[in-house]
Amino acid sequence: MSEWTPDITKLARFDDAEWLKVESAFCGRLMAYASRRVRDRQAREDVVQETFLGAVRGIEAFDPAYTFEQYLFGICRNRTIDHLRRNKLVTLGDNAQSDEDAVTVEDLASVDETPSRIARQRDLSETGVRMLADLLRAWVEETWTQGEFARLMVVEALFSGAWRNRDTWERFDLRDETSVAGIKFRALKRLRELAQERDTQKRVLPWLTAAVDGREGLDIDVQRVWREGRVSCPARHWIARRIAGTLPEGPAAFLAFHLDEMKCDWCRANLDDLSGLESASELESVITRVGASTLQLLRSRTQKGGAD
Ligand SMILES: [Zn+2]
């Protein structure tokens, strides 16, 4: 069961029909994401509308290293941050609940790093970030296929959650902290093997080697690469099966952990969307309104030959 993905070539040609399909496919999950951050309904709709307009404007520079959903979610997060920042002065003077909102903006902004920004900060080139995301994804897939969900959760807790060994040991009922260190070590070793096969440019391999040899910690921002790259995010059909209650034990435990403990924003947005929190008729009217504004932009693009 694979999910529909749009034809990027058609989108880059500003094809009306393809863009409208994008809107019906993704509107629900974007609204669900915005709902967790933006209280006002009209403002949420604006965020989603601006997201689609931003997607149209940026489509010619679409980077095929990422999925279309990642592209769209990235824009949606930025529009959400913009909205929260614009409203910060108002909400700050409001009440205690609003202070929480202010924190949320900063939390949100702190994970809002494009791969190129991570690269600049950590001296890891953009191709290095991609390589690392690629290696992590390969490791996750392999571990998932082997049915080693406990191992997957432990490594996600360490790498993505930045949990301490002690907390991880307690949460997963492991023998002791050494078991946690052992799982981490074996994951690093396997990542290094994968890097030896794939990282021919040696963008990440030196770090992995140093970490495996115990010379230093893994001095790259694995947490951000893991989260930004969504390396462990299950495909949407797994989330649908969770709602239906038809997941096998291992994936069920992992999804619960990923959604409830790692609190992955995007998987939660998919969960809310698939759970139908938004009524179908409400969503339909949002799609219609948002679609109208997108069509207007598309028309101006095609008439002026894509110029701004
Ligand atoms: Zn996720």
Side-chain angles (χ1 to χ4, degrees):
M1 185 160 54
S2 70
E3 217 206 328
W4 176 78
T5 47
D7 181 337
I8 302 294
T9 320
K10 284 189 189 167
L11 295 183
R13 281 204 310 260
F14 303 113
D15 181 299
D16 287 5
E18 196 70 359
W19 275 106
L20 291 180
K21 270 203 259 175
V22 162
E23 281 172 3
S24 4
F26 291 94
C27 196
R29 64 194 95 165
L30 295 177
M31 282 296 280
Y33 174 79
S35 299
R36 284 186 181 266
R37 308 281 181 183
V38 180
R39 261 179 266 152
D40 178 63
R41 203 194 144 80
Q42 184 56 47
R44 277 207 295 271
E45 209 177 298
D46 291 347
V47 164
V48 172
Q49 177 164 341
E50 285 164 24
T51 301
F52 285 119
L53 296 179
V56 171
R57 290 194 195 99
I59 195 64
E60 284 162 306
F62 177 79
D63 181 347
Y66 302 93
T67 66
F68 184 75
E69 190 190 47
Q70 280 176 310
Y71 169 72
L72 214 49
F73 276 169
I75 299 171
C76 185
R77 181 176 44 205
N78 290 338
R79 295 293 84 84
T80 305
I81 292 170
D82 290 348
H83 168 80
L84 294 173
R85 285 212 170 116
R86 271 201 306 274
N87 290 276
K88 203 172 158 184
L89 282 176
V90 183
T91 53
L92 266 179
D94 221 352
N95 51 37
Q97 214 184 352
S98 306
D99 277 343
E100 247 173 66
D101 281 350
V103 174
T104 309
V105 185
E106 294 321 315
D107 285 352
L108 198 56
S110 73
V111 295
D112 176 50
E113 298 288 347
T114 61
S116 60
R117 281 180 66 192
I118 303 172
R120 276 200 298 279
Q121 278 175 356
R122 294 285 164 160
D123 208 27
L124 189 62
S125 67
E126 192 157 343
T127 45
V129 169
R130 272 188 213 172
M131 175 50 63
L132 181 59
D134 218 46
L135 295 170
L136 292 169
R137 207 169 288 122
W139 183 88
V140 168
E141 275 168 25
E142 187 175 273
T143 309
W144 182 294
T145 310
Q146 291 164 350
E148 294 286 353
F149 293 97
R151 193 196 301 162
L152 180 56
M153 286 187 277
V154 167
V155 171
E156 172 147 318
L158 295 171
F159 282 3
S160 173
W163 284 16
R164 293 176 310 167
N165 282 6
R166 184 180 180 78
D167 299 329
T168 312
W169 156 53
E170 285 172 357
R171 159 65 177 83
F172 293 102
D173 286 329
L174 296 164
R175 206 180 59 241
D176 50 29
E177 286 183 44
T178 323
S179 323
V180 178
I183 291 172
K184 184 177 179 181
F185 179 74
R186 282 191 294 279
L188 285 170
K189 228 173 129 184
R190 182 60 190 142
L191 284 166
R192 181 173 67 170
E193 282 169 14
L194 291 167
Q196 279 161 343
E197 292 163 19
R198 299 172 184 222
D199 186 12
T200 47
Q201 307 276 319
K202 301 201 179 352
R203 312 256 185 215
V204 183
L205 188 58
W207 274 287
L208 288 168
T209 302
V212 171
D213 295 346
R215 279 185 273 126
E216 51 199 74
L218 190 60
D219 192 22
I220 3 177
D221 201 339
V222 181
Q223 186 179 24
R224 282 195 178 151
V225 176
W226 186 292
R227 292 188 169 227
E228 288 298 301
R230 303 189 63 203
V231 303
S232 68
C233 289
R236 203 165 133 97
H237 68 87
W238 289 102
I239 297 173
R241 287 172 69 185
R242 172 183 153 114
I243 296 166
T246 57
L247 280 178
E249 198 182 335
F254 175 73
L255 263 81
F257 171 73
H258 184 74
L259 286 157
D260 305 332
E261 290 178 74
M262 290 292 107
K263 299 193 185 332
C264 174
D265 277 343
W266 303 116
C267 289
R268 277 148 66 113
N270 272 313
L271 180 74
D272 290 349
D273 176 34
L274 289 164
S275 310
L277 289 190
E278 195 89 20
S279 83
S281 62
E282 273 292 350
L283 195 56
E284 205 49 55
S285 66
V286 176
I287 293 173
T288 309
R289 283 195 293 273
V290 167
S293 74
T294 307
L295 282 179
Q296 207 176 4
L297 175 65
L298 288 170
R299 242 152 246 160
S300 76
R301 287 280 146 153
T302 42
Q303 276 160 17
K304 287 189 242 160
D308 225 335

